[in-house]
Amino acid sequence: MILQTPVIVVNVKTYLESTNIKAVEIAELMEKISRENGVRMAIAVQPTDITLCVQRVSIPVLAQHIDPINPGSHTGWILPEAVKAAGAVGTLINHSEHRLTIADIDTCVKRAKELQLDQIVCSNNIDTSKAITAFSPHVIAVEPPELIGGDVSVTTADPDIVSGTVNAVKNLNKNCKVLCGAGIKNGKDVKKAVELGADGVLLASGVVKAADKEKVLRDLASGL
Amino acid sequence: MILQTPVIVVNVKTYLESTNIKAVEIAELMEKISRENGVRMAIAVQPTDITLCVQRVSIPVLAQHIDPINPGSHTGWILPEAVKAAGAVGTLINHSEHRLTIADIDTCVKRAKELQLDQIVCSNNIDTSKAITAFSPHVIAVEPPELIGGDVSVTTADPDIVSGTVNAVKNLNKNCKVLCGAGIKNGKDVKKAVELGADGVLLASGVVKAADKEKVLRDLASGL
Amino acid sequence: MILQTPVIVVNVKTYLESTNIKAVEIAELMEKISRENGVRMAIAVQPTDITLCVQRVSIPVLAQHIDPINPGSHTGWILPEAVKAAGAVGTLINHSEHRLTIADIDTCVKRAKELQLDQIVCSNNIDTSKAITAFSPHVIAVEPPELIGGDVSVTTADPDIVSGTVNAVKNLNKNCKVLCGAGIKNGKDVKKAVELGADGVLLASGVVKAADKEKVLRDLASGL
Amino acid sequence: MILQTPVIVVNVKTYLESTNIKAVEIAELMEKISRENGVRMAIAVQPTDITLCVQRVSIPVLAQHIDPINPGSHTGWILPEAVKAAGAVGTLINHSEHRLTIADIDTCVKRAKELQLDQIVCSNNIDTSKAITAFSPHVIAVEPPELIGGDVSVTTADPDIVSGTVNAVKNLNKNCKVLCGAGIKNGKDVKKAVELGADGVLLASGVVKAADKEKVLRDLASGL
């Protein structure tokens, strides 16, 4: 696994504030704060923006998604090999905004392993986290969908889902890392996540929509 | 419309032979032959490869797909603005390998128009071509799915679908261009397409999987 | 076409208040009021409930959906032949809660015609209504998704979408009937729909969730 | 769990040979042979045909699918409550012809448990079977998709997937039953399945497309 933990992963989604050069700007800020504070950070960007970011920063750049396909006749889908060639070191899989069938999660994890792409598979609760452990991904990121994009952090609204996922997953596979996400906004949320046993956090709007991104990133970093 | 007709559009799909630097190589060959022969060519590439190609060639570079979304919280989907910012001048929509609902085709065409991205909407028969004309896209590309990737060109296997689509579409909207695709392999197929009233062709494996891509592209160009 | 217009079509969806015997009860009420007032009514029920309703009422019973398949190996999908054999005389296609690709709408309309099932194809705006006219279905039902289930009738909130759809559709095919839906609640809404040129209405919660269904149905009937 | 094992489950899919009254005829044959031979059998039918079958036979009748929904505004989807009200005692979930996201499998199993519907969740390999065990369904049915509908039984083509699934699943949850399917045609295949540790079989075309269904069912029964 290229990603090391504990880690703060920022998924910049498809906001205008994080498209093309603006994704690079966020990545550069993250790299700067990562270096200054010695805190590990990684960014998940749109497929159009992977190479742009990889050319400009040395923090790990991830894809937001891969499709469960082999090279071939698949117009407009995301080929794992293309994401690798563009320079990504890993990928999110099964984000709550991009759910996959169980057979396709299995295929995506296997394809990513073949290509040595790190896998962060998202889940929505303790049971699905346990299920995903069967595929031995590097990381499982539990995010209750109803809290995503909201004002209250999962660590406050539902701390049991974090500690419960950590326990369930590590009980099945102690090498599997666990992130938590949904509503993460500041260093206090990050600190709480780590106290609950998580290996880091996954967040999006908390950084992307912030008026002062640098300040938010510094605050998040302070929690690790 | 940036795309001018008649035109040969090569959709390089997600083949290994057309990923990353290999997409650029195909684009460079197309540009060379386009310049030498004065024949218009355009290439539709994977989202990861748009900027790479745009930086190296001046023929029109298209996306293979956009999702029917506005900027926002949509992990791993293809934002029209991202495709535009990456340098694409247009996009395929509703390829037979990436079908959309009718409401989503409507949204994709409207979003592409907002961003001044050319639209090539794919259809599978005369009736769906007529239906798509209601959205006034720049181009409709009719491709019978059963002939895609096959050895017999649509212009030979089913010439009536080409002329029938041309008549049906232009009868509703004389400004709408019509391409045909599926099984197109050589200059004779291109010539026949034009004789049947098409404004060009859309092809993929005929170029991407060819042992000698330059020779095939020259032959195709000879048909216009 | 078995359905005659003007008509009030009640889509009972998958509410508990309209499942199994409760669907039959609504169908019986509709039949009673239809007979008393001479107003045509039809009901669209869940697949499990088609035969139950057909055995008890003589108003037209419709399916809420068919899948674009031929008989064969398709576990858990809705076979048009099964809907026909169960006794339905027609089907909704492409409801806003069950969108289909354009190729699949084409297939569903063709399959329904083969089996002499009436087709009510739903659309979301004027442009998609025009597109659907290319398939020559018996009926197009325009329903702006943002108004479905709401408190304000489409005839009040957006009368132009009703008259605009009627004009656009009948201009292309004068035999194609047009219904409107979304937020329809009472006889005044029905009357307004007819004044705007519609051949009837499609509604759901206005009947299904009503405390006094008979009273609401009578009121609706008074509008025709 | 209403289903007792060992059991032969026939999924009649959406064949013409198993629609409406023909589904009843197969169910009646199964009931007859089940009684004569003391072998447990269950049938999974189209939603339109559940009540028809339940009214005529006393063997367990299952749905082929439920959607991950609560009662409400969901046109044309399969409501678990509707399947229950129609008389089904259980349901297939996640058949290879009807794959669900992992979050939706979780929801379907939970909804079925709420309604006391037995759950047979289909999987495609050992890893996905292990994953599904996290949801504690009554039964997991492993079926390699490439063998479904084929001439060679999974018990011959890939016996390790059967014994491997049995071991993996029962190791995690000894109460979870395991069926195997794909290419099952005769009593020898059933016998082999049981020898490999399975609690029965799931089959479709082997019965539905047989010229002499009674003979095939008797032969299958002989294997238990």
Side-chain angles (χ1 to χ4, degrees), chain C residues 6-81:
Chain C
V7 67
I8 293 167
V9 180
V10 179
N11 167 18
V12 301
K13 300 192 174 179
T14 55
Y15 293 104
L16 269 194
E17 295 87 345
S18 56
T19 293
N20 208 263
I21 189 65
K22 292 188 183 287
V24 176
E25 289 168 8
I26 295 173
E28 288 174 334
L29 266 183
M30 289 170 66
E31 180 173 53
K32 176 181 161 193
I33 291 160
S34 177
R35 280 190 182 156
E36 289 175 9
N37 297 26
V39 166
R40 288 183 192 90
M41 292 192 178
I43 188 167
V45 303
Q46 297 175 67
T48 41
D49 303 337
I50 294 171
T51 297
L52 274 185
C53 289
V54 168
Q55 289 170 341
R56 298 278 283 275
V57 298
S58 56
I59 60 169
V61 175
L62 309 170
Q64 292 175 5
H65 174 74
I66 53 173
D67 282 301
I69 55 172
N70 283 301
S73 189
H74 307 289
T75 298
W77 299 99
I78 310 290
L79 180 68
E81 278 83 352

Side-chain angles (χ1 to χ4, degrees), chain A residues 8-61:
Chain A
I8 293 168
V9 179
V10 179
N11 167 17
V12 301
K13 301 193 174 179
T14 55
Y15 293 105
L16 269 195
E17 295 87 345
S18 57
T19 292
N20 207 263
I21 189 64
K22 291 186 184 286
V24 176
E25 289 169 7
I26 295 174
E28 288 175 334
L29 266 183
M30 290 171 65
E31 180 173 50
K32 176 181 162 192
I33 292 160
S34 178
R35 281 189 182 158
E36 289 174 9
N37 298 26
V39 166
R40 289 183 192 91
M41 293 192 177
I43 188 167
V45 301
Q46 299 176 63
T48 41
D49 303 337
I50 294 172
T51 298
L52 275 184
C53 289
V54 168
Q55 289 170 341
R56 299 277 284 273
V57 298
S58 57
I59 60 168
V61 174

Side-chain angles (χ1 to χ4, degrees), chain A residues 84-110:
Chain A
K84 175 80 176 186
V89 300
T91 184
L92 304 184
I93 294 172
N94 193 47
H95 190 274
S96 73
E97 294 157 7
H98 212 141
R99 290 296 192 215
L100 295 173
T101 69
I102 200 166
D104 285 345
I105 294 173
D106 181 32
T107 300
C108 282
V109 171
K110 283 173 179 156

Side-chain angles (χ1 to χ4, degrees), chain C residues 142-185:
Chain C
V142 64
E143 299 190 300
E146 66 279 13
L147 301 177
I148 293 180
D151 288 331
V152 184
S153 165
V154 61
T155 53
T156 302
D158 193 357
D160 291 351
I161 206 176
V162 181
S163 52
T165 297
V166 169
N167 292 339
V169 169
K170 307 225 174 208
N171 193 40
L172 286 165
N173 179 347
K174 69 181 165 39
N175 295 320
C176 189
K177 304 297 179 184
V178 175
L179 306 182
C180 65
I184 304 282
K185 289 251 178 328

Side-chain angles (χ1 to χ4, degrees), chain D residues 22-41:
Chain D
K22 292 188 183 284
V24 176
E25 289 168 8
I26 294 174
E28 287 175 334
L29 265 183
M30 289 171 65
E31 180 173 53
K32 176 181 162 194
I33 291 161
S34 177
R35 281 189 181 156
E36 288 175 10
N37 298 27
V39 166
R40 289 184 192 91
M41 292 192 177

